[in-house]
Structures are given as C-alpha cells and as structure tokens.
Amino acid sequence: MEILDAAAELFAARGFHGVSIEDIGGAVGTSGPALYRHFSGKEALLAEMLLDISERLHTSATSRVTEAPDAEHALDALLTGQIEFALSHPALIIVHDRELGNVPEPARRRIRRLQRLYVEEWVTVLSELYPDCPPPRLRAATHAIFGLLNSTPHSAGELDPAAMAELLRGMARAALADAQS
C-alpha cells in the first residue's frame, strides 16, 4: 500500500508521464527496478491503484447499505463514506480524473464496472427514498454529488476536515433533495 500511496501523490503532483519508476522507488526508499517485484510496470501500478480504490469504495458501500436499518441511514452512511474518502485521498481523486486513460483496457473495464456498481448502490438507496423520481434522474444526481464531494482536492484546504465534512454533507443533502423535484 505504501507504494500505491507514494505513486498516487507523485502522479497527482506531476502526472503519470512526469513520473518514472525510479521516482516511485525513491519515494518509498528503494530502487525503481525493485518495484518490478511487485508490479510489471508503471501502467500495472496505476491499474492496481485505481482498481484497489474502486473495489474498496464498492465494498464499503455495499457493507454500509446492508448494515443500515433503513434507506435514510443508508444514505447517511454512503455520504459519510464518500466524504471520508474525498477528504482522505485527494491524490487518488486527481489521479483517477486525469490518468484513467493510461490504464490498460482490461483493467480499465474492471474499474468502470466497479464504479457502475458503486453508483447503483446509491441509486438503489435513493430509489427507496424518492420512489417517484426516475432512476436516470437519480443516477445523474448521484454523479453530480460525486462531482461536488470529489471537488475537495481544490477546496478542502481552507477549512478543518470536520467543518469541510459538515459543509459537504449539507450541500449534498440539499442537492439530493432538489433532485427529486
């Protein structure tokens, strides 16, 4: 995980093509070639990084929804999870936004599939809360909420994390309430 975290920070700061395998090795206190024991190359490392976070987000969402006593609590749990992710992993948000196209196609399809499953966890919960709202509108609202919450690499530095989390939660709730009308 240390390698993936270091690579995410470097890719976010300098872009995928601006970072060498030697740079990543140096960031974790080893040589670049030593990383080939873990990854077949920089593309494989990027793929693993984005697959890992996509799997973790989907698995977390599934657990949160399953454990919630009702749809309202499930939505609150989903918001908490996404806000925690957004505030804790700004580099991964930047890397995903900018570098997904550098992931080899088979892995990119798996990442996209996991992301669709993650979105559908949200849409299922929102469908219970807003049964008169069509799923395509709820899906669009979900993506809009992700855009809002994942803006934190550009906006989170001026507030302490608790205040930013509260602001994001309130804005997301307001946006979702508006989505049903």
Side-chain angles (χ1 to χ4, degrees):
M1 193 61 133
E2 180 185 5
I3 296 169
L4 295 178
D5 290 342
E9 293 295 330
L10 289 168
F11 292 159
R14 301 192 326 224
F16 179 75
H17 295 294
V19 176
S20 69
I21 203 79
E22 289 79 18
D23 294 330
I24 299 167
V28 295
T30 190
S31 69
L35 296 181
Y36 290 113
R37 284 183 259 156
H38 305 281
F39 303 98
S40 62
K42 199 167 69 164
E43 291 83 6
L45 190 151
L46 176 63
E48 179 60 30
M49 175 190 307
L50 296 180
L51 274 167
D52 175 66
I53 193 56
S54 297
E55 287 172 351
R56 285 191 287 146
L57 284 170
H58 176 246
T59 299
S60 173
T62 302
S63 294
R64 288 172 186 268
V65 169
T66 301
E67 293 168 10
D70 56 36
E72 189 62 43
H73 286 91
L75 177 58
D76 192 53
L78 288 170
L79 284 167
T80 296
Q82 186 64 34
I83 291 168
E84 287 172 354
F85 163 72
L87 292 175
S88 301
H89 301 288
L92 283 173
I93 293 169
I94 293 169
V95 171
H96 179 271
D97 284 348
R98 288 195 319 213
E99 309 297 350
L100 183 61
N102 289 309
V103 173
E105 187 53 42
R108 190 175 334 139
R109 277 194 307 275
R110 290 198 329 262
I111 292 165
R112 288 291 192 203
R113 181 176 180 278
L114 286 164
Q115 291 171 335
R116 283 190 300 276
L117 291 170
Y118 181 62
V119 167
E120 290 309 309
E121 289 289 345
W122 284 71
V123 171
T124 299
V125 169
L126 292 173
S127 293
E128 290 180 44
L129 292 171
Y130 311 121
D132 295 333
C133 191
R137 185 172 175 91
L138 295 174
R139 200 168 289 107
T142 298
H143 284 285
I145 294 304
F146 292 162
L148 168 74
L149 299 178
N150 290 346
S151 70
T152 55
H154 314 289
S155 61
E158 294 186 35
L159 296 176
D160 70 72
M164 189 65 185
E166 182 181 334
L167 176 64
L168 290 170
R169 181 180 304 283
M171 292 178 74
R173 285 284 189 172
L176 287 170
D178 195 49
Q180 68 177 326
S181 37

